[in-house]
Amino acid sequence: MTDKTFPKVTVLGTGVLGSQIAYQTKIRGFDVTAYDINAEALAKARTRFVGLAKIYQQEVKGADTANTEAAATGIQLTDDLAVAADADLIIEAVPEILAVKRDIYTKLATLAPERTVFATNSSTLLPSDLVDATGRGDRFLALHFANRIWQFNTAEIMGTPQTDPKVFQRVVEFAKQIGMVPIELHKEKAGYVLNSLLVPFLNSGMALAAGGYAEPAAIDATWRIATGSPSGPFQILDVVGLTTPYNIAKNGDAAHQKLAEWLKTNYIDKGKLGRASGEGFYKYND
Ligand code: NAD
């Protein structure tokens, strides 16, 4: 293997995405430390890593019991942010709250050495919203992963006007080294590439069903058969879970708020939250 772009990686936040990023980076041979706020969160993190080991054994080609278990136990855990002093790359996956993110970057700005590059996994904030808190605009950018990173392995990379192009390219290389397909954005865009395509697509599907034009199953069938795609909008919505699109739509304009209301009355209030709850637009037996 070529030299590791960032030998020592620290991941901040070990929730849904942070745990996956830490685990994927570790299994690809990097030295990984994961940070979270307290002992309880760290205990949960270790449980998540053990769960990921099982998932990789079942779903990832070439993953065996030995290497998946070694990755689960090999990630160092800490609740001391001073760990930043030893990191070449810090990937931040803390809650999607501007004040929380800005606070952590302000602390990192003094704790991390010159060489350290900071990357945010934020889905809805732009790196420009955070850059002044980092104290290192040239070494800061967004590196955005998708949920179920081992399967949906895009890494969207998006800088601010201040990001050094060499740093950007090193992060592109890093993404490849951990098994991602890097998607390079030339300038900032809310929603990156994926959500810029997906959100309007899902909203269009919902508008057709909510407007009484066709049933969800018919809309999905149209999309699958006519385009060769494996899933239609409602199949995707069931996997995402209905709460996330509801929260997005509820904060939109009048048309989006109508969609939110439709989702709430017909599905969410009836406990139909998507695949994870056993029922959404479809029923699931697993
Ligand atoms: P999550 O709520 O599952 O996890 C957040 C973690 O951060 C928790 O472990 C929490 O204990 C920890 N945390 C809380 N406050 C903290 C602090 N001050 N410092 C450090 N850690 C703290 O959230 P998530 O879904 O993993 O999302 C994290 C980030 O990843 C967000 O920016 C989100 O937009 C992004 N993201 C999420 C998804 C997704 O599908 N969930 C996909 C792509 C990107």
Side-chain angles (χ1 to χ4, degrees), residues 123 144 154 156-158 183-200:
S123 292
H144 182 242
T154 51
E156 296 182 281
I157 300 159
M158 184 169 84
I183 309 294
E184 299 181 38
L185 279 94
H186 301 315
K187 50 187 175 178
E188 287 184 286
K189 171 85 179 85
Y192 303 82
V193 172
L194 176 62
N195 284 331
S196 297
L197 293 167
L198 187 60
V199 173

Side-chain angles (χ1 to χ4, degrees), residues 36 50 54 67 77 127 161 196 262:
D36 214 307
V50 171
K54 295 209 174 75
N67 67 19
L77 288 171
S196 297
W262 175 78

Side-chain angles (χ1 to χ4, degrees), residues 164-232:
D164 179 343
K166 288 200 198 81
V167 168
F168 189 99
Q169 280 312 317
R170 265 176 83 202
V171 173
V172 168
E173 207 44 50
F174 167 75
K176 289 183 197 161
Q177 289 181 344
I178 64 164
M180 299 294 110
V181 176
I183 309 294
E184 299 181 38
L185 279 94
H186 301 315
K187 50 187 175 178
E188 287 184 286
K189 171 85 179 85
Y192 303 82
V193 172
L194 176 62
N195 284 331
S196 297
L197 293 167
L198 187 60
V199 173
F201 171 68
L202 298 179
N203 283 341
S204 297
M206 286 191 283
L208 284 170
Y213 296 101
E215 291 301 316
I219 297 165
D220 280 353
T222 309
W223 188 256
R224 284 196 311 269
I225 297 165
T227 68
S229 300
S231 314

Side-chain angles (χ1 to χ4, degrees), residues 5 21 78 99 132 144-145 156 191 193 198 204 208 217 219 230-231 236 243 245 248 284:
T5 41
I21 297 164
T78 182
D132 61 311
H144 182 242
F145 297 89
E156 296 182 281
V193 172
L198 187 60
S204 297
L208 284 170
I219 297 165
S231 314
I236 296 173
T243 324
I248 297 174
Y284 303 90

Side-chain angles (χ1 to χ4, degrees), residues 13-18 35-37 93-96 100-101 104 121-123 144-145 147:
T14 58
V16 175
L17 253 286
Y35 162 89
D36 214 307
I37 42 175
V94 308
E96 192 72 345
V100 171
K101 291 200 192 272
I104 207 158
N121 182 47
S122 175
S123 292
H144 182 242
F145 297 89
N147 193 11

